[in-house]
Amino acid sequence: MFYVNVYIRFPIYICIHYSTINIYLEYSLTENGRELVSILQDLHKWGQAQLDNNR
């Protein structure tokens, strides 16, 4: 038995909760979430460059 918990306002992930003896959660990105990956990678690169420039 499981159910899907989706953040509704801006769905960037899906959480599947499996009802077992031990709690088991599985997270995955929605299409909206996958679109953010390249933006976050660029932001990470920018942040690394700022750190390197300030050393």
Side-chain angles (χ1 to χ4, degrees):
M1 177 73 144
F2 66 91
Y3 63 91
V4 176
N5 176 20
V6 179
Y7 186 66
I8 300 299
R9 284 190 68 148
F10 185 69
I12 60 172
Y13 69 91
I14 294 173
C15 175
I16 300 175
H17 177 254
Y18 295 93
S19 298
T20 61
I21 293 171
N22 296 322
I23 295 174
Y24 176 73
L25 300 173
E26 182 178 300
Y27 291 91
S28 60
L29 293 175
T30 63
E31 184 60 34
N32 287 337
R34 286 188 293 277
E35 288 176 8
L36 289 175
V37 170
S38 63
I39 295 168
L40 294 174
Q41 288 173 334
D42 289 342
L43 185 57
H44 174 74
K45 288 178 191 175
W46 176 84
Q48 288 293 357
Q50 297 306 308
L51 287 173
D52 293 343
N53 290 337
N54 291 321
R55 289 185 183 178

